[in-house]
């Protein structure tokens, strides 16, 4: 044993290293106390969490999960050897396979590009917003042009006063990408921006447009634009590989990655057919991914995306040109329309994850993005999210801060494997064009979303402010309607959509009658006995827009009928208490409630409790959406 100097800073160096088996035995003891018997790997499995794509998050990650040599190489032992082995597998920042970043310096020099999205049809208003954003922290602009945005001939007005040699511009023009791209390039020439100073992404994405709308576009036109760009504008990228349509259709992380690879490969083929060499073709692509509030999955996804694309570049014979240019956008799927202020927290975590993962550009969608056109305050908060993380949290000062984390490295590897498998499935179906047109993509994403929807309905995946801790008295946030987005292709889903439909029914009932549908909480016994289940029931019913009435605080068989009659409840009551008090009082209280007009009685607790006295049960893990929809139906609330 090494004796360290007594400097007051030694921690546990004098103790021997704990083994994995010792940790497992401690877990076994904890599980035994909770009534579960498991040993060894089974004990760890009991604490594991199943993710989408067949992935599993384990409770402990060590060198053995990453395949690191615990005995060390070149004299290294323990953690040093594990770190060395991990670095060998992931490479180094700026070098193939680019898992750790596309540039050796990462974002440490100037931080990531803070890219603000501006959606609107009026070039004057877009210009006002653009100038305000650029003056206050935004470093590049993402403009919607064409059918759902400003007209291509209004681009000059929208960019009036913008220093185009300093502020990169990204276009999102759908089917109008060629017209929009040539308008921007003409504007560069008109304002005498040197070709080497212009930095832009022209946004040509025919397959992404097809995924959103079902409209088939010719890839040859996009290839012609790329050929023109590659020869004259060294820092302008013609094509965007946008994975958001698949994320917004309910796809998993691996499906998003696999479809982005299939898109990129289809574009490389088209560019090669159009006369571009492999390295030039690789330089014409920018990839766009969603960043969610699942921070570790987002970090692993962006790292895996770079690794996977490097593998494609290697297969194409240009491994050193395989550094993927990444644009991360905070997920629209996770944004809620109720209690939208919570979106600020979601986007902060997502932005942090994208930054840690090494994204080149990050767009934080404003918290009111799903309500219409964001106002100035919302855009300010969005851009300041990046500013705080960069300037106050110093998040970009460390190159690849996630590197060497056993959990992140293993999750990256497993996610890359699942994505590559799906990519191969798509390629076997004729590539992305064939997979889109055959329905393979739509069916696969629909299956994934259906499974996730069940978790959302059962509140296994909670949505703060919507399925958990909703506030019925919240005043709605009203915004000017945004231009309608493209439709006709893959659906756009939102995590809150099932609960939003229930709340909309409640809102309509409130507008028509002056009162929300009500349910009476019949709490039995003292607060210590009923508070937990009364709180659970209150949150559950409010998630469906049903107002819980918990007055008086406690009832008994003698007072239950009068309390129910005074509550104004619409035929529904919920018994809330401990199992012991249910056994003593549930039958009598239920009889009193029915005598006062309650037609349906719920019990908050285990199914089978007080059987014969109540009609239905609500409990953790029940299908909340089905229960709430049924209750609104029985209350006569129109759908």
């Amino acid at each position: 044993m090494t004796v360290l100097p007594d400097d007051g800073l030694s921690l546990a160096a004098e103790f021997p290293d704990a083994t994995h088996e010792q940790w497992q035995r401690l877990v076994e003891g904890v599980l035994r106390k909770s009534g579960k018997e498991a040993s060894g790997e089974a004990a760890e499995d009991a604490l594991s969490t199943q993710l989408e794509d067949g992935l599993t998050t384990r409770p402990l990650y060590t060198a053995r999960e990453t395949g690191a040599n615990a005995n060390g190489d070149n004299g290294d032992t323990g953690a040093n050897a594990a770190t060395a082995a991990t670095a060998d597998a992931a490479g180094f920042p700026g070098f193939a396979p680019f898992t750790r970043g596309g540039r050796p310096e990462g974002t440490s020099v100037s931080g990531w590009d803070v890219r603000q999205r501006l959606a609107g049809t009026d070039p004057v208003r877009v210009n006002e917003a653009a100038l305000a954003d650029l003056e206050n922290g935004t470093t590049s602009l993402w403009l919607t042009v064409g059918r759902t945005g400003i007209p291509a001939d209004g681009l000059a007005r929208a960019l009036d006063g913008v220093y185009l040699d300093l502020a990169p511009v990204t276009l999102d023009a759908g089917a109008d990408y060629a017209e929009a791209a040539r308008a921007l390039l003409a504007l560069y020439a008109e304002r005498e921006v040197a070709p080497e100073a212009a930095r832009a992404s022209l946004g040509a994405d025919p397959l992404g447009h097809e995924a959103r709308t079902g409209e088939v576009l010719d890839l040859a036109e996009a290839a012609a634009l790329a050929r023109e760009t590659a020869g004259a504008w060294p820092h302008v990228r013609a094509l965007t590989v946008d994975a958001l349509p698949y994320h917004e259709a309910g796809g998993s992380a691996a499906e998003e990655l696999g479809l982005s690879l299939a898109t990129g490969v289809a574009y490389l083929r088209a560019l090669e057919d159009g006369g571009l060499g492999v390295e030039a073709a690789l330089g014409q692509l920018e990839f766009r991914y969603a960043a969610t509030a699942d921070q570790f999955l987002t970090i692993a996804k962006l790292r895996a995306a770079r690794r996977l694309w490097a593998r494609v570049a290697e297969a194409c014979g240009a491994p050193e040109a395989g550094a993927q240019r990444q644009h991360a956008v905070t997920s629209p799927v996770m944004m809620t329309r109720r209690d939208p202020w919570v979106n600020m927290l979601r986007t902060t975590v997502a932005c942090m994850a994208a930054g840690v993962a090494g994204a080149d550009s990050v767009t934080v969608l404003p918290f009111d993005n799903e309500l219409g056109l964001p106002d100035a305050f919302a855009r300010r908060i969005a851009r300041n999210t990046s500013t705080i993380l960069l300037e106050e949290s110093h998040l970009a000062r460390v190159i690849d801060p996630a590197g060497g984390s056993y959990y992140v490295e293993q999750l990256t590897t497993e996610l890359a494997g699942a994505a590559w498998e799906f990519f191969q499935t798509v390629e076997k179906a004729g590539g992305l064009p064939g997979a889109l047109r055959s329905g393979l993509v739509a069916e696969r994403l629909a299956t994934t979303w259906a499974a996730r929807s069940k978790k959302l309905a059962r509140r296994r995946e909670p949505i703060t402010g919507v399925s958990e801790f909703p506030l019925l008295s919240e005043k709605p946030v009203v915004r000017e309607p945004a231009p309608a987005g493209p439709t006709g292709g893959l659906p756009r889903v939102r995590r809150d959509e099932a609960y939003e439909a229930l709340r909309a029914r409640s809102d309509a009932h409130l507008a028509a009658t002056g009162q929300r549908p009500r349910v009476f909480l019949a709490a039995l016994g003292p607060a210590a006995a009923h508070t937990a289940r009364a709180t659970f029931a209150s949150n559950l019913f409010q998630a469906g827009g049903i107002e819980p009435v918990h007055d008086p605080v406690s009832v008994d068989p003698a007072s239950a009928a009068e309390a129910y009659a005074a509550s104004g409840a619409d035929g529904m009551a919920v018994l809330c208490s401990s199992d012991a008090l249910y056994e003593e009082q549930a039958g009598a209280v239920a009889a009193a409630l029915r005598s006062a007009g309650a037609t349906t009685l719920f019990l908050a607790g285990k199914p089978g409790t007080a059987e014969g006295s109540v009609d239905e049960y609500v409990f953790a893990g029940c299908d909340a959406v089905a229960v709430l929809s049924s209750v609104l139906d029985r209350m006569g609330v129109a759908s």
Side-chain angles (χ1 to χ4, degrees):
M1 180 178 70
T2 302
V3 178
L4 297 178
D6 185 13
D7 58 1
L9 299 178
S10 62
L11 297 174
E14 65 271 25
F15 296 99
D17 290 339
T19 66
H20 198 97
E21 289 70 25
Q22 286 176 305
W23 183 84
Q24 285 180 341
R25 286 197 292 273
L26 292 174
V27 172
E28 292 168 14
V30 173
L31 291 174
R32 198 173 299 116
K33 291 178 181 178
S34 65
K36 298 179 181 179
E37 288 292 337
S39 60
E41 294 293 332
E44 285 193 60
D45 291 341
L47 300 182
S48 298
T49 301
Q50 298 299 316
L51 305 178
E52 292 178 321
D53 303 310
L55 306 182
T56 301
T57 297
R58 302 189 63 78
L60 179 67
Y61 285 83
T62 63
R64 70 177 191 170
E65 276 78 32
T66 63
N69 180 2
N71 294 321
D73 294 312
N74 301 323
D76 285 338
T77 60
N80 289 337
T83 301
T86 300
D88 288 342
F92 296 93
F95 297 90
F98 302 105
T99 306
R100 306 190 63 194
R103 294 171 291 172
E105 72 278 11
T107 56
S108 62
V109 176
S110 58
W112 57 80
D113 169 33
V114 181
R115 184 174 295 177
Q116 189 85 316
R117 179 173 174 80
L118 296 172
T121 58
D122 182 354
V124 175
R125 293 180 61 184
V126 169
N127 177 251
E128 292 172 353
L131 294 177
D133 289 336
L134 289 170
E135 289 171 2
N136 291 282
T138 292
T139 55
S140 72
L141 301 174
W142 181 14
L143 303 177
T144 303
V145 185
R147 303 174 195 178
T148 60
I150 57 175
D153 59 10
L155 198 57
R157 180 65 186 87
L159 294 174
D160 186 28
V162 174
Y163 295 104
L164 296 177
D165 54 342
L166 300 178
V169 175
T170 293
L171 301 179
D172 184 356
D176 303 320
Y177 68 84
E179 181 185 3
R182 291 191 167 86
L184 180 62
L185 296 178
L187 190 61
Y188 282 142
E190 178 185 329
R191 297 188 184 177
E192 299 181 346
V193 176
E196 61 274 9
R199 283 167 170 76
S201 178
L202 302 181
D205 186 18
L207 292 175
H209 179 74
E210 181 176 347
R212 287 207 184 277
T213 66
E215 180 184 359
V216 177
L217 301 178
D218 186 2
L219 297 188
E221 185 176 9
L225 177 64
R227 187 173 62 250
E228 174 187 335
T229 302
W233 306 90
H235 302 297
V236 174
R237 296 170 186 262
L239 280 82
T240 297
V241 176
D242 191 356
L244 288 183
Y246 313 110
H247 172 75
E248 290 187 82
S252 66
E255 289 163 349
E256 185 183 346
L257 290 176
L259 292 168
S260 74
L261 288 183
T263 305
V265 168
Y267 289 165
L268 287 181
R269 291 179 179 130
L271 293 174
E272 184 179 12
D273 291 343
L276 281 181
V278 173
E279 291 192 10
L282 288 166
Q284 284 298 304
L285 304 181
E286 178 176 88
F287 288 72
R288 183 176 297 141
Y289 295 105
T292 73
D294 188 333
Q295 58 181 345
F296 289 111
L297 189 60
T298 294
I299 293 168
K301 180 170 71 175
L302 297 183
R303 298 173 101 247
R306 291 194 295 267
R307 179 186 297 185
L308 291 165
W309 190 241
R311 181 69 185 92
V312 170
E314 181 184 17
C316 292
E320 298 308 315
Q324 188 183 75
R325 183 77 180 179
Q326 288 184 339
H327 173 203
V329 183
T330 56
S331 165
V333 176
M334 73 178 179
M335 305 286 268
T336 63
R337 287 156 279 194
R338 307 284 172 161
D339 202 358
W341 315 102
V342 183
N343 291 331
M344 296 183 196
L345 306 178
R346 297 184 179 103
T347 54
T348 297
V349 176
C351 180
M352 181 201 73
V356 167
D360 299 287
S361 303
V362 179
T363 295
V364 175
L365 295 179
F367 74 90
D368 55 358
N369 188 71
E370 297 306 304
L371 299 172
L373 285 175
D375 66 4
F377 171 75
R379 293 199 323 275
R380 174 190 173 197
I381 295 298
R383 64 179 179 256
N384 282 351
T385 300
S386 281
T387 300
I388 289 172
L389 292 173
L390 288 167
E391 302 297 335
E392 296 188 20
S393 299
H394 310 300
L395 205 61
R397 291 195 179 184
V398 177
I399 301 171
D400 186 28
S405 161
Y406 292 137
Y407 173 42
V408 172
E409 298 291 3
Q410 183 65 13
L411 186 58
T412 299
T413 298
E414 292 177 357
L415 185 57
W420 189 264
E421 182 179 353
F422 182 51
F423 164 62
Q424 290 179 314
T425 298
V426 173
E427 286 296 286
K428 290 176 183 176
L432 186 60
L436 279 173
R437 294 160 200 170
S438 69
L440 183 151
V441 172
E443 291 173 9
R444 174 72 177 254
L445 301 187
T447 299
T448 300
W449 180 245
R452 189 177 179 189
S453 295
K454 290 180 180 179
K455 295 180 182 178
L456 291 163
R458 295 182 178 277
R459 305 198 297 175
R460 298 298 191 193
E461 182 181 333
I463 311 172
T464 304
V466 178
S467 67
E468 303 288 341
F469 311 110
L471 182 63
L472 289 186
S473 60
E474 168 201 2
K475 293 183 179 179
V477 177
V478 179
R479 292 289 182 265
E480 179 183 346
T487 58
L490 295 174
R492 290 191 176 192
V493 301
R494 297 291 180 270
R495 288 200 311 159
D496 67 351
E497 59 187 21
Y499 296 96
E500 179 64 23
L502 296 170
R503 292 287 294 272
R505 292 176 67 180
S506 174
D507 289 348
H509 187 77
L510 173 64
T513 67
Q515 179 178 291
R516 291 194 183 277
R518 291 182 177 181
V519 62
F520 178 62
L521 302 188
L524 314 181
H530 69 241
T531 295
R533 281 172 168 163
T535 301
F536 165 81
S538 178
N539 276 324
L540 172 67
F541 283 95
Q542 287 186 88
I546 301 168
E547 181 183 349
V549 179
H550 188 187
D551 183 30
V553 173
S554 181
V555 298
D556 55 27
S559 62
E562 182 181 354
Y564 175 81
S567 70
D570 298 294
M572 307 284 170
V574 190
L575 274 63
C576 306
S577 193
S578 64
D579 290 346
L581 282 174
Y582 284 151
E583 186 175 347
E584 294 176 11
Q585 300 183 26
V589 170
L593 292 170
R594 291 190 193 279
S595 70
T599 56
T600 304
L601 296 183
F602 290 88
L603 183 143
K606 295 178 290 186
T609 305
E611 192 169 10
S613 298
V614 298
D615 303 301
E616 297 184 33
Y617 299 87
V618 289
F619 50 91
C622 71
D623 189 331
V625 171
V627 168
L628 296 170
S629 181
S630 174
V631 168
L632 289 175
D633 289 343
R634 281 177 279 182
M635 288 179 170
V637 178
S639 57

